[in-house]
Structures are given as structure tokens and as C-alpha cells.
Amino acid sequence: DTGVSQDPRHKITKRGQNVTFRCDPISEHNRLYWYRQTLGQGPEFLTYFQNEAQLEKSRLLSDRFSAERPKGSFSTLEIQRTEQGDSAMYLCASSRGREWEQFFGPGTRLTVL
Amino acid sequence: AQTVTQSQPEMSVQEAETVTLSCTYDTSESDYYLFWYKQPPSRQMILVIRQEAYKQQNATENRFSVNFQKAAKSFSLKISDSQLGDAAMYFCAYSTNTGKLIFGQGTTLQVKP
């Protein structure tokens, strides 16, 4: 068990560009969550998957954001036409179920110039 | 909607002393889970302790314990025999019936040698 991994760890992009982040959860975990964390704040929920099904999306997830989890394994989070307000740490977490703890990845820090 | 409030942005404790971090939450649900997560500087979030709402007994994990007051919707974390490695940002989190976590604003804990 190598834990939750995320790639890339850092991403600098220019406003208007598209970016994609990847998350690899712990292999036996069927739930996968995406959160966004700005400096000095608690993480905010974006979306979650149970296996390959995306079951809930936050209002924070505008139509510029899309997430997928093909075959219930890794997940990708894409942001189209990035804006400076998208600059944040994007965290991925996985768990075995609602009552179990979520294991977090190291995050992807996005900077939009 | 559920909310989580941490009213102490910063706390400080002397090494080997005890410190209590406060957390209150609001919910209309009767069955839920509460967590304390620790986020060291530039490192990933890890679970400190969890509490099932249906359990009256307060959870304990080594030097970490909680004071769970369900009626008051209060969930404080006590750290005994504080160590330098305890310095981090601590987040209180509420798990909704879908499993997503709602985090408080966080408390930065400084441990003085």
C-alpha cells in the first residue's frame, strides 16, 4: 500500500490554458474525493466518485471543471480556461466507505498567472 | 446545511503540556462521523482521531482524545504531553451522509520547546 498519489505536484499555467490533474487512490478503496484548499483555509469539497460513478458535485465545480474516474481506478480533474481564482491546492482522497477515514494525497498546487 | 466552526485560528502550547482545540458543528442529522485531521507544513493531511456520533464514549488515540458533546454539537481535541512534532494545522471535519467531509477553518498549533 503506497498511499494516495497525485500528479503533478506543482503546476504553473497561464490564464486561459487547460490543465489536468491525476489522482491514484489506494487500490482497494472504492470512494474517491476531490477537494480544493486555498492558503490558510480548510479544504472544500468538489466532487466524489463511488467506483466509476460520479455521485455528487459541489456548486464550486463550475462548468469549466470536469472529473472522471474511468473503470473506478485513477481519477482525473480537468480545469478548462483557467482563471487566477483557480489558484489553489487540489487534494484527492480515497476511502473504503463513508464511515472510514479518508486518506489524502500530497495535493497538486496550481498557480494561474 | 452542515457547518463546522473552529474559533481558534492559532494556539500555542509548551512542550510536554496539554492543549485543547475547539470545534463546534451544526447538523440536523443524527448519524454522522467526526474527525480531526492534522496537516503539517507542506505535508499531507493525516487522520488524528475519529468519533462515531452514536457512541457516547469519547475516542482516544494515545496522547490524543476528544470531548464529544452531542447535544451541544461540540467536538474538542485534547493533546496531552505535547511534542514538537505536533506542530501543524489541525482541522475538525464532519462527514455527511454521502461521506464528503466538511472542514472547519483550521487551528494552527505552535509547540514551544
Side-chain angles (χ1 to χ4, degrees):
Chain A
D1 178 2
T2 57
V4 178
S5 60
Q6 293 187 245
D7 184 69
R9 296 290 304 276
H10 303 274
K11 179 71 177 179
I12 299 174
T13 190
K14 292 182 179 178
R15 189 175 53 186
Q17 297 295 305
N18 299 344
V19 294
T20 300
F21 310 142
R22 176 180 171 123
C23 170
D24 286 89
I26 293 171
S27 58
E28 65 267 26
H29 288 183
N30 60 4
R31 289 190 175 215
L32 186 148
Y33 300 83
W34 284 99
Y35 296 87
R36 181 170 70 186
Q37 185 178 25
T38 53
L39 196 62
Q41 299 297 314
E44 296 175 295
F45 169 79
L46 293 178
T47 188
Y48 100 92
F49 294 83
Q50 184 161 325
N51 301 312
E52 66 275 10
Q54 187 175 19
L55 297 185
E56 187 174 353
K57 293 193 290 186
S58 164
R59 289 172 296 174
L60 293 174
L61 216 64
S62 73
D63 56 6
R64 297 185 297 106
F65 288 72
S66 63
E68 294 182 342
R69 191 184 182 195
K71 301 179 183 179
S73 56
F74 69 92
S75 176
T76 58
L77 177 68
E78 181 184 16
I79 309 174
Q80 296 182 328
R81 305 180 302 281
T82 53
E83 302 172 355
Q84 287 185 327
D86 297 332
S87 295
M89 177 76 85
Y90 289 83
L91 298 171
C92 176
S94 69
S95 78
R96 286 187 280 171
R98 176 207 170 193
E99 67 276 19
W100 298 100
E101 70 172 288
Q102 293 183 21
F103 289 81
F104 283 81
T108 294
R109 181 168 296 283
L110 173 67
T111 301
V112 181
L113 302 176
Chain B
Q2 298 91 353
T3 59
V4 177
T5 302
Q6 293 179 250
S7 58
Q8 304 156 316
E10 295 180 357
M11 291 285 285
S12 179
V13 64
Q14 207 70 33
E15 196 176 5
E17 297 296 309
T18 296
V19 65
T20 299
L21 308 184
S22 302
C23 172
T24 58
Y25 59 94
D26 190 24
T27 183
S28 57
E29 297 177 339
S30 58
D31 181 24
Y32 50 87
Y33 299 84
L34 296 165
F35 301 86
W36 278 97
Y37 279 89
K38 170 185 177 181
Q39 189 175 41
S42 302
R43 295 182 62 187
Q44 60 202 75
M45 190 116 44
I46 57 174
L47 178 72
V48 175
I49 198 165
R50 68 190 282 268
Q51 174 79 45
E52 298 91 335
Y54 63 84
K55 287 188 177 179
Q56 292 186 338
Q57 186 174 7
N58 290 323
T60 299
E61 287 287 342
N62 301 314
R63 298 182 294 107
F64 299 88
S65 61
V66 299
N67 183 5
F68 173 48
Q69 301 290 329
K70 190 173 183 178
K73 296 179 182 174
S74 170
F75 183 59
S76 61
L77 174 69
K78 185 171 81 170
I79 306 174
S80 304
D81 185 25
S82 297
Q83 300 175 0
L84 295 177
D86 294 334
M89 195 153 189
Y90 286 80
F91 292 101
C92 176
Y94 172 99
S95 178
T96 71
N97 57 8
T98 62
K100 75 182 183 189
L101 295 176
I102 298 173
F103 288 87
Q105 304 91 323
T107 298
T108 299
L109 178 66
Q110 182 184 27
V111 181
K112 297 180 179 178

